[in-house]
């Protein structure tokens, strides 16, 4: 089931360098928000995240927050703090938000990647949209029992990507 398999795996976003993404022809990096860029509930980016965004930008890679979070102020506040475009309530794994983001940024699926912590939203949606998919480990599962359950269900699917090439 290749639709559930990520193109690449990484422990966290900081393993993704602007240089490596540029080398692979990526110009747009779509990023899941919760548990990918920061843990749930962290309202604003810190300096480390801003420096990572700057490294991407220096290599011609635009960062774009693509979040399923339904509480509108959350993705907006965070993306504005990071000074990057965003789509909230994105509806991943459905693909319209992926294509809307690519159209807005003027790039093709071949020039686009998504990084996220969930197989059933980020990886599945990205594969359906024809972009490169990068699966990272959730930053923090604590605080919500539902997240453990969801993660447990995903484990066999995560293993499909475990042999994936490092970025
Ligand atoms: Mg997430």
């Amino acid at each position: 089931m290749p639709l559930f398999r990520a193109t690449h795996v990484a422990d966290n976003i900081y393993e993704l360098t602007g240089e490596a993404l540029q080398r692979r022809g990526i110009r747009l990096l779509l990023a899941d928000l919760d548990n990918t860029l920061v843990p749930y509930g962290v309202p604003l980016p810190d300096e480390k995240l801003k420096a990572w965004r700057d490294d991407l930008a220096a290599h011609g890679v635009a960062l774009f927050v693509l979040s399923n979070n339904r509480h509108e102020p959350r993705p907006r506040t965070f993306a504005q703090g990071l000074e990057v475009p965003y789509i909230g309530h994105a509806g991943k794994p459905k693909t319209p938000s992926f294509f809307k983001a690519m159209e807005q940024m003027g790039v093709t699926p071949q020039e686009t990647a998504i990084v996220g912590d969930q197989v059933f939203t980020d990886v599945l949606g990205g594969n359906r949209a024809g972009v490169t998919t990068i699966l990272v480990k959730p930053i923090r599962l604590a605080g919500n029992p539902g997240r453990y359950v969801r993660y447990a269900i995903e484990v066999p699917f995560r293993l499909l990507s475990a042999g994936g090439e490092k970025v």
Side-chain angles (χ1 to χ4, degrees):
M1 50 190 86
L3 281 177
F4 291 104
R5 181 181 180 144
T7 321
H8 303 286
V9 289
D11 281 344
N12 58 66
I13 57 166
Y14 298 106
E15 291 186 358
L16 312 178
T17 65
E19 194 272 335
L21 292 169
Q22 182 183 47
R23 185 159 23 89
R24 295 179 181 281
I26 300 300
R27 295 173 57 208
L28 173 63
L29 181 62
L30 305 171
D32 173 54
L33 174 54
D34 293 308
N35 255 350
T36 296
L37 292 182
V38 290
Y40 280 88
V42 173
L44 289 168
D46 63 10
E47 292 308 312
K48 185 181 181 187
L49 192 56
K50 290 178 181 175
W52 180 70
R53 170 208 62 196
D54 289 343
D55 171 64
L56 298 181
H59 290 86
V61 180
L63 184 63
F64 191 117
V65 173
L66 195 66
S67 172
N68 274 6
N69 197 305
R70 291 175 192 178
H71 304 285
E72 171 57 21
R74 159 73 167 148
R76 182 178 63 225
T77 300
F78 191 90
Q80 287 177 349
L82 195 52
E83 298 176 82
V84 300
Y86 78 100
I87 294 175
H89 202 165
K92 298 171 286 183
K94 297 196 189 91
T95 58
S97 63
F98 288 82
F99 289 108
K100 187 177 170 194
M102 288 188 275
E103 185 180 349
Q104 183 177 329
M105 301 303 285
V107 298
T108 65
Q110 290 72 29
E111 296 169 319
T112 303
I114 181 161
V115 59
D117 70 298
Q118 287 189 253
V119 174
F120 296 155
T121 55
D122 305 311
V123 172
L124 178 57
N127 283 332
R128 282 175 168 170
V131 308
T132 295
T133 52
I134 304 163
L135 180 64
V136 292
K137 294 176 181 168
I139 296 173
R140 195 161 71 202
L141 293 173
N144 181 337
R147 280 176 217 145
Y148 285 104
V149 172
R150 201 170 58 201
Y151 184 77
I153 292 168
E154 285 196 348
V155 163
F157 294 93
R158 300 183 77 86
L159 292 176
L160 284 174
S161 304
E165 190 184 354
K166 286 275 184 178
V167 176

